[in-house]
Amino acid sequence: MTETLHRLVYYSRNHTSGEDAVFSAHIDDILAKSRINNTRDQITGALLFNAGCFAQVLEGPLPNIEAAFERIQQDDRHGDVSLLALDPIDTRSFPNWAMGFVGTSSVDAERFADIGSSSGFDPSRLSGDQIYTLLRNLTIEEEADA
Ligand SMILES: Cc1cc2nc3c(=O)[nH]c(=O)nc-3n(C[C@H](O)[C@H](O)[C@H](O)COP(=O)(O)O)c2cc1C
């Protein structure tokens, strides 16, 4: 029997501060670790970040995403980790992404501005569904460009 797939969405406050280079190094490290661990754990998903916050979607077998979320919550590079959604799903929305990311490019900044107008530039006001939809649309566009 195959295990039930689940999708988890959370939001957190970015605690990495400092110069762009330091911030980039943290992001590179997070993505590198995530891709190794998530490939091992059959987890796919995407990470959205800016200087103030992270939002992430994880999808995979429930015990695996729960274990990953435990580790993620212990990470002091962010805080105020808020679980927004944890639901069973039929199929993966990020099948090709051990961890896709949407970050600081100018194109993304413009997109963020759009979301900002409805959320006061604060993604913590977005629901799990909105974050999921946003990340799915952005990664689909990335795939189209690739
Ligand atoms: C915003 C953020 C997102 C993260 N996402 C993941 C993830 O998707 N998968 C993962 O294994 N670790 C993720 N991490 C890293 C974990 O918190 C932790 O550093 C890592 O799992 C430790 O891996 P290790 O036990 O192999 O050293 C994330 C960390 C942060 C701050």
Short mmCIF file of all heavy atoms in Angstrom, two decimals, residues 10 30 33-34 37-38 47 54 56 58 71-72 75 77-78 99, ligand 1:
data_model
loop_
_atom_site.label_atom_id
_atom_site.label_comp_id
_atom_site.label_asym_id
_atom_site.label_seq_id
_atom_site.Cartn_x
_atom_site.Cartn_y
_atom_site.Cartn_z
N TYR A 10 3.82 26.37 5.70
CA TYR A 10 4.08 27.20 6.88
C TYR A 10 4.66 28.54 6.45
O TYR A 10 5.12 28.72 5.32
CB TYR A 10 5.01 26.49 7.88
CG TYR A 10 6.47 26.50 7.48
CD1 TYR A 10 7.28 27.61 7.77
CD2 TYR A 10 7.03 25.45 6.79
CE1 TYR A 10 8.61 27.63 7.41
CE2 TYR A 10 8.36 25.46 6.42
CZ TYR A 10 9.15 26.56 6.73
OH TYR A 10 10.46 26.58 6.34
N ILE A 30 20.67 26.49 3.10
CA ILE A 30 19.33 25.92 3.35
C ILE A 30 18.89 25.09 2.14
O ILE A 30 18.42 23.96 2.29
CB ILE A 30 18.31 27.04 3.65
CG1 ILE A 30 18.59 27.66 5.02
CG2 ILE A 30 16.88 26.51 3.57
CD1 ILE A 30 17.82 28.96 5.29
N LYS A 33 21.05 21.76 1.75
CA LYS A 33 20.65 20.73 2.74
C LYS A 33 19.26 20.19 2.41
O LYS A 33 19.02 18.98 2.49
CB LYS A 33 20.58 21.35 4.14
CG LYS A 33 21.91 21.55 4.80
CD LYS A 33 21.88 20.97 6.21
CE LYS A 33 23.27 20.98 6.84
NZ LYS A 33 23.67 22.32 7.25
N SER A 34 18.36 21.10 2.07
CA SER A 34 16.99 20.68 1.79
C SER A 34 16.95 19.70 0.63
O SER A 34 16.25 18.70 0.67
CB SER A 34 16.12 21.89 1.41
OG SER A 34 16.11 22.81 2.46
N ASN A 37 18.33 16.25 1.78
CA ASN A 37 17.41 15.56 2.70
C ASN A 37 16.09 15.22 2.03
O ASN A 37 15.55 14.13 2.22
CB ASN A 37 17.11 16.45 3.92
CG ASN A 37 18.33 16.60 4.83
OD1 ASN A 37 19.28 15.84 4.72
ND2 ASN A 37 18.28 17.58 5.71
N ASN A 38 15.56 16.16 1.25
CA ASN A 38 14.24 15.94 0.67
C ASN A 38 14.26 14.86 -0.41
O ASN A 38 13.30 14.10 -0.54
CB ASN A 38 13.68 17.26 0.11
CG ASN A 38 13.45 18.29 1.20
OD1 ASN A 38 13.56 17.98 2.39
ND2 ASN A 38 13.15 19.51 0.81
N LEU A 47 10.16 26.94 -1.72
CA LEU A 47 10.44 27.89 -0.64
C LEU A 47 10.40 29.29 -1.22
O LEU A 47 11.00 29.57 -2.26
CB LEU A 47 11.84 27.61 -0.08
CG LEU A 47 12.40 28.56 0.96
CD1 LEU A 47 11.63 28.41 2.28
CD2 LEU A 47 13.88 28.25 1.21
N PHE A 54 9.98 33.74 5.42
CA PHE A 54 10.00 32.54 4.59
C PHE A 54 8.58 32.01 4.51
O PHE A 54 7.81 32.14 5.48
CB PHE A 54 10.84 31.43 5.22
CG PHE A 54 12.32 31.67 5.25
CD1 PHE A 54 12.95 32.01 6.44
CD2 PHE A 54 13.08 31.54 4.11
CE1 PHE A 54 14.32 32.21 6.49
CE2 PHE A 54 14.45 31.75 4.14
CZ PHE A 54 15.08 32.09 5.33
N GLN A 56 6.91 28.19 2.95
CA GLN A 56 7.37 26.96 2.31
C GLN A 56 6.23 25.96 2.20
O GLN A 56 5.36 25.88 3.07
CB GLN A 56 8.51 26.35 3.14
CG GLN A 56 9.24 25.21 2.44
CD GLN A 56 10.47 24.74 3.21
OE1 GLN A 56 10.57 24.95 4.41
NE2 GLN A 56 11.40 24.10 2.52
N LEU A 58 5.74 21.85 1.64
CA LEU A 58 6.39 20.53 1.62
C LEU A 58 5.33 19.51 1.28
O LEU A 58 4.24 19.54 1.85
CB LEU A 58 6.95 20.18 3.01
CG LEU A 58 7.98 21.11 3.64
CD1 LEU A 58 8.19 20.74 5.11
CD2 LEU A 58 9.30 21.03 2.90
N ARG A 71 12.60 19.33 12.22
CA ARG A 71 13.97 19.86 12.06
C ARG A 71 13.93 21.33 11.67
O ARG A 71 14.70 22.15 12.18
CB ARG A 71 14.71 19.11 10.94
CG ARG A 71 15.11 17.70 11.25
CD ARG A 71 16.20 17.23 10.27
NE ARG A 71 15.83 17.38 8.88
CZ ARG A 71 15.17 16.48 8.17
NH1 ARG A 71 14.79 15.35 8.71
NH2 ARG A 71 14.87 16.70 6.90
N ILE A 72 13.02 21.66 10.77
CA ILE A 72 12.93 23.04 10.28
C ILE A 72 12.60 23.98 11.44
O ILE A 72 13.17 25.07 11.57
CB ILE A 72 11.87 23.12 9.15
CG1 ILE A 72 12.41 22.42 7.90
CG2 ILE A 72 11.48 24.56 8.86
CD1 ILE A 72 11.36 22.20 6.80
N ASP A 75 15.48 25.22 13.60
CA ASP A 75 16.52 25.98 12.91
C ASP A 75 16.43 27.45 13.32
O ASP A 75 15.39 28.10 13.11
CB ASP A 75 16.32 25.82 11.40
CG ASP A 75 17.54 26.24 10.60
OD1 ASP A 75 18.14 27.28 10.94
OD2 ASP A 75 17.88 25.54 9.65
N ARG A 77 17.72 29.99 12.10
CA ARG A 77 17.78 30.99 11.02
C ARG A 77 16.41 31.61 10.76
O ARG A 77 16.28 32.55 9.98
CB ARG A 77 18.36 30.37 9.75
CG ARG A 77 19.86 30.08 9.90
CD ARG A 77 20.41 29.34 8.73
NE ARG A 77 19.93 27.97 8.69
CZ ARG A 77 20.48 27.00 7.96
NH1 ARG A 77 21.54 27.28 7.22
NH2 ARG A 77 19.98 25.78 7.96
N HIS A 78 15.40 31.06 11.40
CA HIS A 78 14.08 31.69 11.34
C HIS A 78 13.35 31.44 12.66
O HIS A 78 13.83 30.70 13.52
CB HIS A 78 13.26 31.20 10.13
CG HIS A 78 12.94 29.74 10.14
ND1 HIS A 78 12.09 29.18 9.23
CD2 HIS A 78 13.34 28.73 10.95
CE1 HIS A 78 11.99 27.89 9.46
NE2 HIS A 78 12.74 27.59 10.50
N MET A 99 13.43 20.99 -3.84
CA MET A 99 13.06 22.24 -3.17
C MET A 99 13.27 23.38 -4.16
O MET A 99 14.40 23.82 -4.38
CB MET A 99 13.86 22.48 -1.87
CG MET A 99 13.34 23.64 -1.03
SD MET A 99 11.50 23.68 -0.85
CE MET A 99 11.14 22.09 -0.08
C1 LIG B 1 13.43 28.41 5.87
C2 LIG B 1 14.06 27.06 6.00
C3 LIG B 1 13.61 26.01 5.19
C4 LIG B 1 14.17 24.74 5.31
N1 LIG B 1 13.70 23.73 4.53
C5 LIG B 1 14.19 22.49 4.68
C6 LIG B 1 13.68 21.40 3.93
O1 LIG B 1 12.80 21.54 3.08
N2 LIG B 1 14.22 20.17 4.14
C7 LIG B 1 15.22 19.97 5.05
O2 LIG B 1 15.67 18.83 5.20
N3 LIG B 1 15.73 20.97 5.75
C8 LIG B 1 15.25 22.23 5.60
N4 LIG B 1 15.77 23.27 6.31
C9 LIG B 1 16.99 23.02 7.08
C10 LIG B 1 16.72 22.39 8.37
O3 LIG B 1 16.22 23.37 9.24
C11 LIG B 1 18.00 21.81 8.96
O4 LIG B 1 19.04 22.71 8.91
C12 LIG B 1 18.42 20.60 8.20
O5 LIG B 1 17.35 19.73 8.02
C13 LIG B 1 19.50 19.88 8.99
O6 LIG B 1 19.96 18.88 8.16
P1 LIG B 1 21.00 17.81 8.68
O7 LIG B 1 20.37 17.16 9.88
O8 LIG B 1 21.15 16.91 7.53
O9 LIG B 1 22.25 18.59 9.01
C14 LIG B 1 15.22 24.53 6.23
C15 LIG B 1 15.66 25.58 7.04
C16 LIG B 1 15.09 26.84 6.93
C17 LIG B 1 15.58 27.96 7.81
#
